[in-house]
Amino acid sequence: CDHLTNFAVLVSRNALMATDPLTTAEEVLSVISYVGCCLSMIGLLATMVTILKFKRLHASKYQRLMFGLCLTLLAVLTLFIAGVEHAARNKAACRTIAIMLHFLVLMMFMWTSAL
């Protein structure tokens, strides 16, 4: 990736592989990113299960919008975790993942404005 969006900066490895201390920092940041994304995904899944489990919550328009927001956030995190490694090696994959991530972020804004 040679563009400077926030996802491209996270995916970029060229600047970080120059010296060993930066490689170690890259590994630490990678672990922190994956752990944070996984914890967020667990929280989103718990929220979605709670909304689906209780009929009173599922019947509310606000909670249905919240479910859509959670689903979109879960898709963003899943795509980010699954696509980070592929985007770093392949320019076409980088472009495809960037387009899908931007679309999903626009969907997040849509769900947020509907709330």
Side-chain angles (χ1 to χ4, degrees):
C1 287
D2 58 356
H3 51 282
L4 295 177
T5 61
N6 53 351
F7 297 112
V9 171
L10 289 173
V11 171
S12 176
R13 294 174 179 249
N14 296 337
L16 294 175
M17 295 188 112
T19 61
D20 287 340
L22 290 178
T23 303
T24 303
E26 177 193 4
E27 292 171 359
V28 170
L29 290 175
S30 179
V31 169
I32 290 171
S33 295
Y34 285 126
V35 169
C37 285
C38 289
L39 289 175
S40 295
M41 290 171 74
I42 291 169
L44 288 168
L45 285 171
T47 302
M48 292 168 63
V49 167
T50 302
I51 291 171
L52 290 175
K53 185 171 173 88
F54 298 105
K55 290 198 183 279
R56 185 176 56 105
L57 291 177
H58 188 61
S60 167
K61 178 182 176 182
Y62 173 76
Q63 295 302 330
R64 283 183 283 176
L65 292 172
M66 184 64 70
F67 185 83
L69 178 63
C70 289
L71 189 63
T72 305
L73 282 166
L74 188 63
V76 166
L77 291 171
T78 303
L79 182 63
F80 182 73
I81 288 175
V84 165
E85 294 299 322
H86 297 294
R89 294 185 298 245
N90 186 349
K91 190 168 186 157
C94 177
R95 184 173 287 133
T96 303
I97 290 170
I99 289 170
M100 291 182 353
L101 283 172
H102 282 99
F103 176 74
L104 288 170
V105 169
L106 286 173
M107 283 181 60
M108 286 182 348
F109 288 132
M110 186 272 308
W111 285 116
T112 303
S113 68
L115 289 174

